[in-house]
Amino acid sequence: MASTRSPKLTRILVTSSFNSDSSRVSNILFDPELDVNSTITTVVSKKKSSVQYDIYGRSALYLAIWLCNPHSSADCVRLLLSHPGIDRNFRNTEVHPEEVQCRMPWFPLALAMRKGNTEILTMLMADPPPFPSDCHYPQPRPLDFTAVLDDSWTPLHYAAQNGHARCVQLFLERLREEECKNKKRNKKNKKQCKKCSNCQKQWEEGEPKMKRCGRCKKASYCSPACQRLAWKDHKKSCKKFKESQLGTFLVKQMINKRLKAKQAIGHKLGVMVGGATALFLAAEMGHADVVKELLKYDECDFNLPSVDGKTPFMTCVIASNSSSALCQSYQKGSDRKPDSHGSLAIANMLLDLGPGKLNINAYQTCNDTKYAGGSTALFLACSANLPSLVKRMLTEYHGIIDVNIQRDLGTTALYIACQYGHYECVSLLVELAADTINVNLSMFDDPTNTPAAICLSPFQYLPTNARGSDENRQMCYDILFEWSSKLGRPSIVTNRVKQLNEIRKKSDVQDMIAGKDKQMNLVLNKLSSGCSKKELDQLMNDPVIGPKLKRLIDCGFLQSAAGK
């Protein structure tokens, strides 16, 4: 900090940086009365604009980066970084005295990565110029590459989510350089200490080795007596040693950094989800170039899930077909739209990793009864109608992939493909997994509620985006019937159909299906709008409504509604 601070110069510097006036910044930057890291508490207006901006607690460096887009000149940033006293780790003031909500304590590196300005990022990460001995500023700290915001977002998270592949590449390459430097420094420090930190005694050959401080691993002493004598002064700088302080695992530390678990169940696209890594965010938005950069590093854990069990592979499968009901429900209420072509490319890139790296049987966990957990990547691919991915999973991961994993409600990949009428996926499942698939796995452990039966359910109460067309579901039934006939067991798909037709002929069932029962109309509307398993159990236990629901379930009319 400068010995004499001039508020006037501080205001000129901050406002000049705000307006990208590099000539004015250059004129006052090295004035001895200027504190280059100070902030102002005021409201300013942008040049040629009547809009006012509150820049309370923001430094000149932050404002210069904030208002510099990827295509504009970064002269102000370059000038500020040339100052020997500039703090590259300076964080904005978190709380404004007149605001109820806290601000994000941004720092320059995170801001540059979020904006995707590679010129500024390169300047920030470059080694600073030599610090002059006659400078009246204290020597600033080196750039902290592992800094995070209070909500656990790292610079890498922001660049990955916004698709700044070049920034991701530069950042990870710089981390690797720092790792190499730290390894050399640590190797040098591991050599035998030849000088006592207290008495300055030189170690000589044949004498007992000097011992390091057990807490910080830095100071060394020739005897316990010297350590006790030095403790009064040493304790001021002695900090507990952590393996991360060595700086030899920077890439692994940052590339697998996960967000705090603030958002867990049913998160929407673009909303922070707990446990997400940079790879997860890039896969979620379909940024294939970013994923390609991340996959270059062996330290990247490709299977790290979010708190609800969704892996990067699963999230890009969801977004691979933007027209599917699955993807549309995922995007509902979000202003972010993923690149479906990019998501499909990412899914194929992750499949290329092979069974040794990609966990193909990972499944989504969920504790909320309204959102059924247990979805696997195969289940999601069948739900989103992605036959190309289904084919790759069944062929390249044959013998490893489990096609019979059931969700919490009992549905399988085959069941959901039949429900939506995705006949290509059904054909692939019965052909490529013929030796392992169980076509009789049913919802709620009901032996009559099978994939073949769901093909022929009427589904009048469900919206069209929650079911396939009658023609497509009939094609799914035909595929199953033909496949079972080849095996000599056509009864697995025909017996249930006969039973359904017999029940539907009865008048009370026909009245409920036709909407003549007003009480049941209200119940069916409630089921179609979304009903948890607990609420469904209450309806089933009702002495009046329960028997009627049982009749509709028996005839196949409520097979899918029960799953909601």
Side-chain angles (χ1 to χ4, degrees):
M1 186 178 293
S3 56
T4 57
R5 180 186 301 177
S6 172
K8 181 179 178 181
L9 288 175
T10 298
R11 180 176 176 81
I12 293 173
L13 178 69
V14 172
T15 54
S16 299
S17 300
F18 181 75
N19 288 296
S20 303
D21 191 346
S22 57
S23 59
R24 204 171 183 190
V25 170
S26 178
N27 291 335
I28 66 167
L29 184 59
F30 294 95
D31 193 302
E33 294 185 1
L34 172 68
D35 182 3
V36 71
N37 294 314
S38 62
T39 61
I40 61 176
T41 58
T42 187
V43 174
V44 298
S45 297
K46 185 76 175 161
K47 275 185 179 180
K48 300 179 182 180
S49 174
S50 59
V51 181
Q52 291 188 325
Y53 297 85
D54 183 4
I55 58 173
Y56 177 90
R58 293 181 168 97
S59 67
L61 180 60
Y62 172 88
L63 293 171
I65 297 174
W66 179 33
L67 297 163
C68 184
N69 61 58
H71 307 291
S72 64
S73 174
D75 291 339
C76 281
V77 179
R78 186 177 294 102
L79 284 169
L80 290 167
L81 290 176
S82 68
H83 195 286
I86 195 73
D87 185 1
R88 302 182 183 212
N89 300 306
F90 182 87
R91 290 177 180 258
N92 294 330
T93 304
E94 186 173 358
V95 182
H96 191 292
E98 297 179 1
E99 292 181 358
V100 178
Q101 294 183 344
C102 293
R103 289 177 169 180
M104 190 76 74
W106 284 93
F107 50 93
L109 182 60
L111 185 63
M113 291 281 279
R114 185 185 185 188
K115 290 179 69 66
N117 194 314
T118 55
E119 183 183 5
I120 290 178
L121 181 63
T122 304
M123 289 189 289
L124 269 174
M125 295 192 300
D127 293 329
F131 189 76
S133 58
D134 59 344
C135 184
H136 56 269
Y137 281 87
Q139 186 170 359
R141 299 165 295 159
L143 183 64
D144 186 1
F145 291 94
T146 61
V148 298
L149 295 171
D150 287 350
D151 57 1
S152 72
W153 282 72
T154 67
L156 190 60
H157 279 114
Y158 279 113
Q161 188 186 51
N162 290 285
H164 303 316
R166 179 60 177 160
C167 288
V168 171
Q169 179 188 3
L170 292 173
F171 182 73
L172 291 175
E173 288 176 354
R174 188 69 176 86
L175 284 183
R176 186 66 87 197
E177 290 177 13
E178 284 295 308
E179 279 188 358
C180 295
K181 290 180 183 178
N182 293 332
K183 285 178 181 178
K184 290 180 180 179
R185 186 185 68 245
N186 294 331
K187 187 177 181 180
K188 184 178 179 180
N189 290 340
K190 282 182 179 180
K191 293 180 180 180
Q192 169 60 30
C193 299
K194 296 185 178 181
K195 192 175 183 180
C196 177
S197 300
N198 180 53
C199 66
Q200 309 301 315
K201 176 185 175 182
Q202 294 290 333
W203 179 79
E204 295 181 2
E205 192 71 31
E207 292 183 351
K209 293 183 178 180
M210 292 190 180
K211 304 294 184 181
R212 292 184 183 273
C213 172
R215 191 161 183 255
C216 68
K217 309 293 185 184
K218 293 180 180 179
S220 55
Y221 303 99
C222 60
S223 66
C226 272
Q227 184 176 16
R228 286 193 294 269
L229 290 172
W231 176 244
K232 184 176 180 180
D233 295 325
H234 177 60
K235 67 180 180 180
K236 298 175 183 178
S237 59
C238 184
K239 294 182 179 179
K240 188 175 181 180
F241 173 80
K242 295 180 180 178
E243 192 69 25
S244 60
Q245 291 173 350
L246 294 176
T248 54
F249 303 101
L250 292 177
V251 172
K252 184 177 181 180
Q253 180 182 350
M254 298 304 290
I255 209 168
N256 294 322
K257 180 73 176 177
R258 305 172 75 189
L259 299 180
K260 289 181 181 178
K262 290 184 178 179
Q263 183 84 10
I265 304 303
H267 89 281
K268 295 300 180 184
L269 186 66
V271 179
M272 188 182 79
V273 56
T277 61
L279 178 63
F280 185 98
L281 296 176
E284 182 181 53
M285 297 307 301
H287 298 314
D289 291 341
V290 174
V291 173
K292 189 175 180 180
E293 291 297 330
L294 294 171
L295 295 182
K296 291 179 180 178
Y297 292 85
D298 294 334
E299 294 92 339
C300 184
D301 190 336
F302 317 107
N303 299 307
L304 276 180
S306 58
V307 292
D308 61 349
K310 196 184 286 96
T311 64
F313 181 58
M314 291 164 68
T315 194
C316 64
V317 168
I318 292 173
S320 292
N321 186 357
S322 58
S323 62
S324 69
L326 177 67
C327 185
Q328 289 173 1
S329 65
Y330 189 53
Q331 296 179 40
K332 188 177 181 181
S334 173
D335 57 351
R336 289 179 176 268
K337 304 299 180 186
D339 180 359
S340 58
H341 296 292
S343 297
L344 187 58
I346 293 169
N348 282 295
M349 277 192 280
L350 292 173
L351 282 173
D352 290 338
L353 295 173
K357 292 185 177 181
L358 184 66
N359 182 5
I360 199 71
N361 291 320
Y363 60 90
Q364 186 177 357
T365 57
C366 194
N367 298 321
D368 190 330
T369 54
K370 210 165 188 177
Y371 297 92
S375 298
T376 63
L378 180 63
F379 181 95
L380 295 171
C382 289
S383 179
N385 196 20
L386 298 167
S388 61
L389 290 182
V390 173
K391 184 176 182 179
R392 285 200 63 185
M393 283 188 268
L394 293 175
T395 53
E396 297 177 21
Y397 291 77
H398 185 74
I400 298 174
I401 190 168
D402 187 351
V403 297
N404 297 316
I405 293 179
Q406 293 179 279
R407 297 178 82 207
D408 293 349
L409 298 176
T411 52
T412 61
L414 179 62
Y415 191 101
I416 199 67
C418 289
Q419 176 179 325
Y420 282 102
H422 298 156
Y423 52 87
E424 292 181 353
C425 295
V426 172
S427 179
L428 289 169
L429 285 168
V430 296
E431 289 176 9
L432 300 179
D435 54 339
T436 57
I437 193 167
N438 183 353
V439 298
N440 293 317
L441 290 176
S442 57
M443 180 182 285
F444 291 127
D445 296 326
D446 180 0
T448 61
N449 192 354
T450 62
I454 204 72
C455 294
L456 303 175
S457 295
F459 278 145
Q460 287 95 335
Y461 63 92
L462 283 179
T464 54
N465 66 345
R467 57 183 168 90
S469 66
D470 294 341
E471 294 79 5
N472 287 347
R473 287 187 289 115
Q474 181 62 49
M475 291 178 68
C476 292
Y477 175 81
D478 294 340
I479 292 170
L480 289 176
F481 184 82
E482 181 182 354
W483 175 78
S484 62
S485 298
K486 288 180 180 179
L487 297 179
R489 294 180 296 167
S491 60
I492 63 174
V493 294
T494 55
N495 291 341
R496 174 59 176 162
V497 178
K498 293 178 181 178
Q499 184 183 10
L500 292 176
N501 290 333
E502 290 176 1
I503 296 176
R504 287 174 188 161
K505 290 178 181 178
K506 299 187 178 180
S507 59
D508 60 334
V509 174
Q510 290 180 355
D511 289 343
M512 285 187 284
I513 293 177
K516 296 179 180 179
D517 190 324
K518 295 182 179 179
Q519 184 185 29
M520 288 306 297
N521 275 344
L522 296 174
V523 174
L524 293 177
N525 288 334
K526 184 177 181 180
L527 291 173
S528 63
S529 62
C531 180
S532 68
K533 192 174 180 181
K534 183 178 179 181
E535 292 171 332
L536 181 61
D537 290 340
Q538 292 175 350
L539 291 173
M540 292 296 293
N541 293 328
D542 186 279
V544 178
I545 298 175
K548 294 182 179 180
L549 284 176
K550 184 67 169 59
R551 297 279 289 167
L552 291 176
I553 291 173
D554 288 342
C555 75
F557 185 79
L558 280 181
Q559 288 176 3
S560 183
K564 289 285 182 180

